[in-house]
Amino acid sequence: MLTLGIESSCDETAAALVDESGLVHADVVRSQVALHAPYGGIVPELASRDHVRAITLVIREALARAGKSFDALEGIAVTARPGLSGALLVGVQAAKGLAWARGLPIVAVDHLVGHLLAVFLRRPAAASASTAHPRPEEKTLAYPFVALLASGGHTAIYRVDGPDLDQIRELGATRDDAAGEAFDKVAKVIGLGYPGGPLVDRLAAQGNADRFPIPPPMARRDSLEFSFSGVKSFVARHVAEHGKPATDADIADLCAGFQRTVVGSLVTKTVRAARSEGVTSVVLAGGVAANRELRKTAAEACAAAGLALHVPPMASCTDNAAMIAYAGALRLARGESDDLSFGTATRTALSRVTRKGGGPRTRAR
Ligand code: KG4
Ligand code: ZN
C-alpha cells in the first residue's frame, strides 16, 4: 500500500512515501528553523504561511526521489492532530485535495501515534548510516512495549499494545513543560539560540555536570509523571542571580547539569514503567530521543534492567512524514479510510491520564 504521508503540524513541512511494511521509499523534510530562529521560538502564523509555500514542492520532491508518479500512489495519510491549527490545516487541505482529485483513500493520523510507530520504519542503508546505535530492524521489536515520547510539544510514557489508538495507553505525562520545550527555553535563557535541544546536547558533552547539580523533579518513587518547569526555573534563577555564563566552560557545565537531570528523570521513569507493565522492550521516540546522553543513559539502564532498547535513527525521531505515512498505511492496508469531512484538532486523540498544571505538585525541585 504505497502511501503518501503529509506532515505540517508544527515547523516542518514534510512528505514521504512509505508502504505498510515500513519501507521508506522517500522522505523529504523541509525545516522552518531559520524562519523562526530570529524570534527564539515558533511563530504560528509564519509557520502556516510557509507551509502553504512549501507543501506542493515538498510533495513533488518526495515523488521525484522515489521515482514515482501520482499514479503509483495507493493512499494518503496526513497529520490531523495535535499541532498548530493553521499549520495542520495546510497539510490536511493539500491531502484532501489530492485524495479527491486522484480518487484515493485518505486517513487522518495522530502525530503522536506516528512518533510511537516511527521505530518500525525501515530506511535504506544510506539514510540511516549516521546512526551510532543498532538500527531497529536489526533487533525484532514486538508488541507490547513501553515507549518514552519526548518532543517539543509532548512528553509522556505509553504502553503500546498495537498500532491503533485504543491500543496505546498513557501511563504518565508531563504536568507542565515538555522535555524539548525545557531544552529550548534553557538554551534561550543561556543565550544559545533556537532550537536549543541539539545545541545543549553538543555543549553538555564537554561539560562537568557535577558543577551544577540540579535536583531531580517529581522524584516520588511511584509517579510516572514528569515536571520540567522546576529544572528550567533553576537555570533561569541561576542566570538571573549570576548573569549569563561567560566562558565556554561555564556554558558547557550548566548545559551538562541541566541535561543530566532531565535525562535522569526521563530514563528512571521509563524503566520503572517498563518493569511495572511487565514488558521486555522499551522504545524512545520524539525529537528529544535524538539526544545522545538520553540514548546512552537509556541503553545502560535498560541493559541493567534486562530490557531491550529500541531507538530509531535520528531522522525517524524528529518530525517527519514517513512515520505519518506508515501509521496511515497500516490502516489503509486493512481497507480502512476516513471520510473527507474529518477536521483538525490541537490535542491528541490518545487517552490522557495526567492532569496538566493543576493538582498537588510533588516537590517540583
Ligand atoms: O519531535 P520534534 O521534532 O517536534 C515536535 O513534535 O515537537 O521535537 C522537537 C524538539 C525540540 O524541542 C528540540 O529542541 C528537541 O526536540 N531536540 C532535542 C535534540 N534534538 C531535537 N533535544 C535534546 N537533544 C537533542 N539532540
Ligand atoms: Zn513531533
Side-chain angles (χ1 to χ4, degrees):
M1 196 79 196
L2 188 66
T3 303
L4 169 68
I6 298 177
E7 155 66 40
S8 70
S9 66
C10 195
D11 62 342
E12 276 93 14
T13 321
L17 290 178
V18 178
D19 60 39
E20 77 274 22
S21 79
L23 185 67
V24 180
H25 298 254
D27 180 20
V28 178
V29 180
R30 183 179 179 277
S31 167
Q32 299 181 348
V33 160
L35 177 72
H36 301 292
Y39 306 94
I42 297 163
V43 185
E45 185 54 26
L46 289 184
S48 313
R49 292 178 196 194
D50 198 62
H51 285 311
V52 172
R53 277 192 289 271
I55 192 89
T56 313
L57 298 169
V58 166
I59 293 170
R60 285 192 188 283
E61 175 71 17
L63 286 163
R65 281 197 205 170
K68 307 275 187 197
S69 71
F70 279 113
D71 293 336
L73 296 180
E74 294 174 287
I76 296 181
V78 62
T79 305
R81 63 195 301 172
L84 303 167
S85 300
L88 284 166
L89 271 174
V90 178
V92 165
Q93 288 308 118
K96 285 183 178 179
L98 267 176
W100 180 77
R102 313 288 314 187
L104 289 169
I106 185 171
V107 288
V109 175
D110 190 291
H111 181 85
L112 303 192
V113 175
H115 272 303
L116 291 170
L117 301 185
V119 67
F120 291 110
L121 291 173
R122 296 185 300 123
R123 292 174 181 275
S128 40
S130 61
T131 319
H133 293 264
R135 300 197 348 239
E137 60 270 33
E138 289 162 10
K139 301 182 270 176
T140 337
L141 171 64
Y143 300 109
F145 56 83
V146 156
L148 169 69
L149 169 48
S151 71
H154 304 271
T155 294
I157 301 173
Y158 294 93
R159 180 190 167 98
V160 184
D161 284 288
D164 296 331
L165 277 172
D166 60 1
Q167 294 177 299
I168 302 174
R169 187 160 54 86
E170 184 201 296
L171 302 172
T174 180
R175 283 173 161 257
D176 40 58
D177 292 350
E181 191 180 355
F183 269 96
D184 295 339
K185 287 179 178 170
V186 158
K188 195 171 179 178
V189 149
I190 301 179
L192 295 180
Y194 165 88
L199 299 168
V200 172
D201 183 347
R202 206 172 60 234
L203 291 163
Q206 290 128 40
N208 168 18
D210 292 330
R211 224 181 113 202
F212 298 103
I214 305 176
M218 306 264 306
R220 224 179 66 209
R221 282 214 56 81
D222 56 342
S223 169
L224 292 178
E225 296 180 352
F226 299 106
S227 166
F228 296 111
S229 72
V231 188
K232 172 196 69 187
S233 303
F234 184 100
V235 178
R237 258 197 316 279
H238 177 86
V239 170
E241 284 165 21
H242 305 277
K244 283 187 184 168
T247 67
D248 287 351
D250 288 347
I251 294 174
D253 292 348
L254 197 52
C255 286
F258 162 78
Q259 183 172 282
R260 184 170 73 182
T261 300
V262 171
V263 164
S265 171
L266 292 171
V267 171
T268 308
K269 296 196 178 201
T270 303
V271 168
R272 192 188 303 153
R275 279 187 156 151
S276 65
E277 289 298 315
V279 302
T280 53
S281 295
V282 170
V283 166
L284 300 185
V288 181
N291 185 272
R292 289 170 299 168
E293 185 174 345
L294 175 61
R295 294 163 91 100
K296 183 167 170 280
T297 309
E300 288 161 2
C302 285
L307 297 162
L309 179 69
H310 298 258
V311 190
M314 303 286 188
S316 297
C317 290
T318 49
D319 280 351
N320 64 86
M323 65 187 193
I324 304 302
Y326 175 63
L330 292 179
R331 282 189 60 206
L332 289 163
R334 292 200 305 243
E336 296 175 25
S337 66
D338 290 320
D339 187 89
L340 274 178
S341 61
F342 70 82
T344 61
T346 55
R347 300 185 145 210
T348 178
L350 288 173
S351 74
R352 286 177 297 149
V353 296
T354 303
R355 222 155 45 100
K356 298 271 168 169
R361 227 162 260 220
T362 344
R363 287 187 295 281
R365 51 166 304 240

